[in-house]
């Protein structure tokens, strides 16, 4: 299991310091929620802030784009140092084209599904992606309640991927905590995003350890 702390719940005035803490705690990915106030009802940050963090952070930069027209921002996000760029199926009129666009910059490409979007809708794009991100909250805000129906989606998607022998990571994002993380990993999730479950704690090392221990059961 890989952990992807979402900086959305970090203290933005001390962002680099927070990122260093999760890096030192052994987290593999840094989950970067880019929001445009249009596709989702919130605004966060974009390429300039990601580029500043890149200078001092070695973790895999996992950019989750919650934006209406992702293609427009991909060159800047690649230049900022993103390693994986995921786009919403619901935001892309020509998803195949957008995925190919991301891959043309030699970074990994992924597709994100909102809680109500069935996994069957991405059957034909699976061979083209490196990651599928399943939302377990409605995107836009940190600290929301986990939607348990996503567990069934993880299981179905795991089966779809394994049956075809594809090399795709399943990431789950939203409301992940020490109570539900084991069920997600057991269902077949590879990468778990955690915002408030990590950053809403004084002791980041302890929060990360609690999540890892919860998976061991
Ligand atoms: C929600 C974001 C998530 C969020 C997760 O739109 O995509 O990455 O920050 O935060 P928690 O873990 O607090 O639900
Ligand atoms: Zn996210």
């Amino acid at each position: 299991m890989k952990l992807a702390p979402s900086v959305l719940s970090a203290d933005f005035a001390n962002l680099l310091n927070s990122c260093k803490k999760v890096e030192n705690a052994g987290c593999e990915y840094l989950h970067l929620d880019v929001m445009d106030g249009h596709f989702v009802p919130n605004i966060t940050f974009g390429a300039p802030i990601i580029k500043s963090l890149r200078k001092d952070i070695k973790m895999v930069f996992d950019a989750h784009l919650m934006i209406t027209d992702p293609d427009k921002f991909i060159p800047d996000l690649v230049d900022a140092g993103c390693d994986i760029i995921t786009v919403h199926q619901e935001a892309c009129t020509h998803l195949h084209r957008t995925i190919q666009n991301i891959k043309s910059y030699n970074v990994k490409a992924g597709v994100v599904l909102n809680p109500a979007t069935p996994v069957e809708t991405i059957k034909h794009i699976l061979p083209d992606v490196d990651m599928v991100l399943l939302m377990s909250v409605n995107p836009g805000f940190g600290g929301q309640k986990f939607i348990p129906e996503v567990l069934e989606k993880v299981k179905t998607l795991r089966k779809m991927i394994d049956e075809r022998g594809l090399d795709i990571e399943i990431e789950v994002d939203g409301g992940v905590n020490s109570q539900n993380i084991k069920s997600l990993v057991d269902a077949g999730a590879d990468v778990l995003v955690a915002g408030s479950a990590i950053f809403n704690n004084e002791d980041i090392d302890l929060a990360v350890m609690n999540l890892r221990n919860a998976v061991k059961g």
Side-chain angles (χ1 to χ4, degrees):
M1 176 201 58
K2 292 175 185 166
L3 277 180
S6 160
V7 300
L8 193 56
S9 299
D11 174 4
F12 279 13
N14 291 297
L15 193 51
L16 178 59
N17 194 23
S18 299
C19 294
K20 281 186 175 164
K21 282 187 187 166
V22 287
E23 179 162 61
N24 292 335
C27 295
E28 292 85 354
Y29 290 6
L30 188 68
H31 188 79
L32 298 154
D33 288 306
V34 180
M35 303 184 188
D36 67 353
H38 188 261
F39 178 66
V40 288
N42 201 2
I43 295 176
T44 53
F45 50 80
I49 286 185
I50 296 175
K51 197 170 188 166
S52 305
L53 294 172
R54 184 77 280 185
K55 287 186 236 142
D56 293 294
I57 302 292
K58 306 241 165 355
M59 279 181 280
V60 172
F61 274 22
D62 164 31
H64 171 195
L65 307 192
M66 286 158 273
I67 56 185
T68 299
D69 189 0
D71 286 272
K72 216 161 61 186
F73 298 93
I74 287 162
D76 282 354
L77 289 163
V78 172
D79 178 62
C82 296
D83 300 294
I84 306 172
I85 297 179
T86 60
V87 292
H88 271 260
Q89 187 258 29
E90 302 86 1
C92 297
T93 312
H94 304 286
L95 180 60
H96 185 273
R97 179 181 286 149
T98 303
I99 293 292
Q100 304 310 325
N101 183 22
I102 297 170
K103 294 208 302 189
S104 73
Y105 293 94
N106 287 320
V107 298
K108 290 188 173 177
V111 59
V112 193
L113 297 182
N114 278 334
T117 308
V119 288
E120 288 75 11
T121 60
I122 52 164
K123 180 180 165 195
H124 302 289
I125 196 75
L126 277 185
D128 295 283
V129 299
D130 301 291
M131 173 184 270
V132 176
L133 170 49
L134 298 178
M135 291 307 300
S136 39
V137 297
N138 289 299
F141 304 93
Q144 301 181 80
K145 201 170 162 286
F146 179 77
I147 298 171
E149 279 72 18
V150 78
L151 269 172
E152 205 51 50
K153 291 174 74 176
V154 177
K155 287 182 198 158
T156 308
L157 180 63
R158 178 84 271 159
K159 207 159 161 255
M160 285 164 72
I161 292 171
D162 290 351
E163 275 174 3
R164 293 161 76 182
L166 298 168
D167 182 18
I168 302 171
E169 287 191 318
I170 301 178
E171 185 175 41
V172 178
D173 182 8
V176 174
N177 57 36
S178 53
Q179 271 82 57
N180 55 32
I181 195 165
K182 187 177 184 330
S183 58
L184 289 163
V185 172
D186 289 347
D190 305 294
V191 185
L192 282 305
V193 177
S196 45
I198 291 182
F199 288 110
N200 284 8
N201 293 281
E202 279 295 309
D203 189 336
I204 299 288
D205 285 325
L206 186 65
V208 168
M209 207 173 72
N210 283 342
L211 290 172
R212 294 219 193 263
N213 286 340
V215 176
K216 288 182 206 145

